[in-house]
Amino acid sequence: MTLGPVVGRDVELAMARRFLDSTVLEPGAFLVEGEAGIGKTTVWAAAIGEAESRGIRVLQARAAETEVQLSYATLADLVGADFDVTRRALPPIQQHALAAALLRAELDDPVQPRTIATAFVGVLASIAEAAVVLVAIDDVQWLDPASAGALSFAARRLPERVGLLLTRRGDPGEPPPLGLERALPEGRLERLTPGPLSLAALHHLLHDRLGSAPPRPALARLAEASGGNPFLALEIARALGPE
Ligand SMILES: Nc1ncnc2c1ncn2[C@@H]1O[C@H](COP(=O)(O)OP(=O)(O)O)[C@@H](O)[C@H]1O
Ligand SMILES: [Mg+2]
């Protein structure tokens, strides 16, 4: 997560703002992808901050590699807090199914994943009656398969005024996750790959986080060694210590 101000991402944040504007009109998804440390979570968190400041209802979860085996772990993070309020909007069979998925009820019979996914869409639609909704998930490559199934299902049936804000670690050349390329209306998947930070942005970053930044020749070497990756730049600068 970002510990200081976001630097050097004006273009990326402007894209995120435009996406939030458009979500009011039509469901869609904004996918931030790229290598580890390049700043995906930072852009994601800034977009959430912007959404919240506009009164958008944000349901958020950060998928974790250690929880990939836990069924519906991410779904529970997304809707757990709202379930008690929204459950009444669902038919009883869906209420039971979602309650079981969220580990709030026991069931005698196995629950159909489709029933849970349908209930999830119902919860989104119910919340979206009162506000624009942003479903924000960091690191979708670590979604547990059950949550991923429910989200893919939901992506194909996104209610009005619901948007997805996702990050994925990986090669932007790969197809988007959750079947998004086929799930959404034409032109409603926006993909963003944050590039290397500029020299000026790296200077700001090091200054903000470490209290000082190296002089320009050393900064240029650091930019080259890190490829403009802010995580690597911070690691290298910390390892080198104050010059
Ligand atoms: N634009 C930025 N401004 C300030 N700090 C940043 C920026 N981008 C990344 N960082 C910092 O770099 C590190 C890695 O960023 P992060 O967003 O976690 O990367 P990713 O999610 O792509 O792995 C974090 O410490 C983060 O605070
Ligand atoms: Mg991250």
Side-chain angles (χ1 to χ4, degrees):
M1 273 292 185
T2 312
L3 302 173
V6 177
V7 300
R9 292 295 187 212
D10 293 353
V11 172
E12 289 80 357
L13 296 181
M15 276 178 75
R17 277 195 291 274
R18 275 198 302 278
F19 169 72
L20 295 176
D21 292 340
S22 67
T23 299
V24 178
L25 306 173
E26 198 179 6
F30 191 77
L31 173 64
V32 185
E33 44 194 345
E35 67 193 41
I38 196 67
K40 301 179 296 298
T41 302
T42 300
V43 171
W44 177 84
I48 288 176
E50 170 73 23
E52 286 178 332
S53 75
R54 295 179 180 200
I56 293 176
R57 210 26 242 297
V58 180
L59 308 181
Q60 60 175 297
R62 305 187 66 191
E65 197 167 13
T66 48
E67 296 189 354
V68 86
Q69 311 279 4
L70 304 182
S71 271
Y72 294 114
T74 298
L75 198 72
D77 288 343
L78 290 174
V79 299
D82 286 285
F83 180 60
D84 291 329
V85 183
T86 51
R87 64 184 302 166
R88 280 181 294 279
L90 302 174
I93 184 174
Q94 291 180 27
Q95 285 192 36
H96 291 311
L98 190 56
L102 303 182
L103 307 179
R104 293 170 183 221
E106 287 185 39
L107 286 187
D108 299 332
D109 302 319
V111 191
Q112 291 292 328
R114 190 164 71 87
T115 315
I116 295 168
T118 307
F120 174 55
V121 175
V123 167
L124 295 180
S126 166
I127 303 174
E129 279 174 19
V132 175
V133 177
L134 187 65
V135 177
I137 306 171
D138 192 21
D139 285 328
V140 291
Q141 76 281 358
W142 290 325
L143 276 181
D144 62 273
S147 295
L151 279 153
S152 302
F153 181 92
R156 274 178 273 121
R157 296 164 179 80
L158 275 188
E160 289 300 309
R161 308 193 329 142
V162 177
L164 301 176
L165 170 65
L166 310 172
T167 74
R168 176 179 68 173
R169 179 183 296 188
D171 182 350
E174 289 170 22
L178 305 175
L180 286 180
E181 74 276 33
R182 291 178 308 278
L184 298 162
E186 187 72 29
R188 291 301 294 145
L189 170 61
E190 189 124 19
R191 300 176 75 169
L192 164 69
T193 306
L197 283 187
S198 68
L199 220 52
L202 282 174
H203 178 90
H204 277 286
L205 174 73
L206 298 176
H207 208 275
D208 291 341
R209 296 285 282 274
L210 307 179
S212 68
R216 198 174 167 96
L219 187 68
R221 284 197 298 277
L222 184 68
E224 198 179 322
S226 65
N229 180 305
F231 174 79
L232 290 178
L234 283 165
E235 290 291 294
I236 296 170
R238 281 196 191 101
L240 293 176
E243 293 188 38

